[in-house]
Amino acid sequence: VSELHGFRELSQIDSSEYDNILNLGGMTALDDAVFQGIEITRDYAKVLVNQDFCANAIVFVITDGCNNNSKHTPNQIKKLISDVMKEECLESIQVILVGITGGDNGIRSTLQIFQQEVGITLYINIDDATPSELAKLADWISKSISSTSQALGSGSPSQLLTF
């Protein structure tokens, strides 16, 4: 598990930074990556709260592999998500798992089980995506971000849109 960069405004990110950074086709420390991603999101939310900002979060986990050699477990991830909500540093948090399975039904099944164990909001298998499905996904992400932003300060969680 490694971090390319911390939180930055999207307008400050050059997409070429991501050229040739993926090494697809293996297994990953998925549980550790998800745990750390949620933990880092929580920690940044605390910084925002200390600056008098309210925050909601959407965490996108994009993976081509199953878990291998993680220190954390699905139960620990599930507890972390619950703890984040109890801490009230975020008004809501949604975790979206995107599988890039290359048609491997074993990986797809494992990721679907992982989604259920952890309580991940939504699982999307990108391999099923056609160009129109990818456009639909982009639109769904945009609307989800808008919904999350609109719910901010209302005391209610954002509404998960149907994909």
Side-chain angles (χ1 to χ4, degrees):
V1 177
S2 64
E3 181 179 327
L4 180 62
H5 56 74
F7 288 96
R8 294 193 307 196
E9 291 183 30
L10 290 175
S11 62
Q12 301 301 312
I13 297 175
D14 177 0
S15 63
S16 68
E17 292 179 59
Y18 305 103
D19 290 347
N20 303 312
I21 64 166
L22 295 178
N23 182 9
L24 302 176
M27 294 181 73
T28 187
L30 179 62
D31 295 4
D32 285 351
V34 173
F35 189 93
Q36 288 178 18
I38 294 168
E39 193 173 49
I40 290 166
T41 301
R42 178 207 56 205
D43 293 348
Y44 188 62
K46 287 180 181 180
V47 168
L48 292 174
V49 166
N50 288 336
Q51 296 175 1
D52 293 325
F53 290 99
C54 296
N56 284 319
I58 302 175
V59 177
F60 291 93
V61 177
I62 303 170
T63 184
D64 72 329
C66 304
N67 184 56
N68 181 25
N69 201 31
S70 283
K71 297 174 190 148
H72 295 95
T73 66
N75 284 337
Q76 289 173 316
I77 299 167
K78 187 173 190 170
K79 182 179 182 318
L80 177 62
I81 293 170
S82 175
D83 290 349
V84 167
M85 291 309 300
K86 289 177 189 170
E87 290 178 32
E88 297 183 351
C89 57
L90 287 167
E91 290 189 15
S92 70
I93 183 170
Q94 296 180 9
V95 182
I96 312 301
L97 178 64
V98 179
I100 304 172
T101 65
D104 187 317
N105 287 329
I107 294 173
R108 178 193 305 243
S109 176
T110 299
L111 292 176
Q112 288 170 327
I113 292 168
F114 178 71
Q115 174 204 7
Q116 305 265 323
E117 289 177 336
V118 172
I120 288 176
T121 312
L122 178 68
Y123 171 71
I124 300 167
N125 189 333
I126 202 71
D127 298 328
D128 297 336
T130 62
S132 64
E133 284 291 313
L134 291 175
K136 183 178 171 183
L137 175 60
D139 184 56
W140 182 85
I141 290 170
S142 175
K143 287 179 180 174
S144 293
I145 292 169
S146 178
S147 171
T148 299
S149 296
Q150 288 173 3
L152 205 54
S154 71
S156 300
S158 59
Q159 299 299 311
L160 181 63
L161 305 170
T162 304
F163 176 69

